[in-house]
Amino acid sequence: MADPAPSKVHGADGRHVVLVGMMGSGKTSVGRRLARRIDRPFLDADEELEARTGRSVRAWFEADGEERFRKAETGLLAELLSDPVPAVIATGGGAVVTEANRRALAGGAFVVWLDADAGFLASRIRQKDHRPLLDGGVEVTIERLLAERAGWYREVADAVVEVGPVHVWSSSPKKDLSGIIAEILHQNGLGPAPPGDGGEEMRA
Ligand code: S3P
């Protein structure tokens, strides 16, 4: 009897790959690139929330406050994780703050923490209008949030990838974060060996 046809697109392992980490760690740009590499759909949780509710993250914070935003974020994350088509999902930096999200992430996704130090993160974040939590000042807020959250990122992570200046400015494929993560996924039985290609700059 012939072998069953291999899953055409997603490989044998159907787990979602979820990127967590602070604002400025590059979850969206790395996630988009990773999804292309491993041939999966890419979903950015904040973008999905905005598209599905017709309101920006800033509008959520301003109209309803952070607590309601967090509830909406939790509902959305549960929805994304329940989709049977395995995707690469970039979460908002604060997703790990909510216990229900941490439990949901422990329920089968392969979670990668993009870890970076506060100075590096702050240097990459320009004060942009779409991040209401930074209204009080970038450096001091990033330091405080990272101190509060590092333990949660560690708790949910199946793998930790260090993000630093070398990934932003190097064009070496070996230092390209999406390639590094694809290799980690391969080592964990989540995908084919990644073909090398030229690195691209990571954007905030
Ligand atoms: C937040 C991070 C943002 C967004 C919201 C809150 C946080 O997402 O969800 O402004 O609490 O760290 P990014 O990490 O994609 O900027």
Side-chain angles (χ1 to χ4, degrees), residues 23 27 46 57 69-70 92-94 131-133 149:
M23 295 175 259
K27 299 179 297 290
D46 282 341
V57 168
F69 167 77
R70 295 293 173 207
R131 285 174 169 140
L133 285 179
R149 295 173 178 177

Side-chain angles (χ1 to χ4, degrees), residues 69-138:
F69 167 77
R70 295 293 173 207
K71 286 213 170 91
E73 182 179 50
T74 295
L76 179 79
L77 183 63
E79 237 180 83
L80 297 182
L81 291 173
S82 71
D83 192 310
V85 178
V88 174
I89 299 170
T91 56
V96 295
V97 166
T98 309
E99 197 195 341
N101 295 347
R102 300 198 298 276
R103 272 205 310 273
L105 290 173
F110 189 87
V111 181
V112 181
W113 174 21
L114 301 191
D115 182 22
D117 68 46
F120 174 69
L121 290 167
S123 75
R124 282 176 36 78
I125 297 172
R126 291 172 295 277
Q127 176 59 70
K128 284 193 205 151
D129 213 34
H130 71 279
R131 285 174 169 140
L133 285 179
L134 299 178
D135 287 351
V138 175

Side-chain angles (χ1 to χ4, degrees), residues 168-189:
V168 183
W169 293 298
S170 169
S171 60
S172 158
K174 288 224 159 32
K175 290 170 185 151
D176 173 69
L177 282 172
S178 69
I180 291 169
I181 296 171
E183 179 59 39
I184 291 172
L185 296 177
H186 173 60
Q187 285 165 9
N188 283 273

Side-chain angles (χ1 to χ4, degrees), residues 46-58:
D46 282 341
E47 285 175 12
E48 286 300 312
L49 184 72
E50 294 188 348
R52 293 175 191 206
T53 64
R55 301 166 85 188
S56 68
V57 168
R58 172 166 289 281

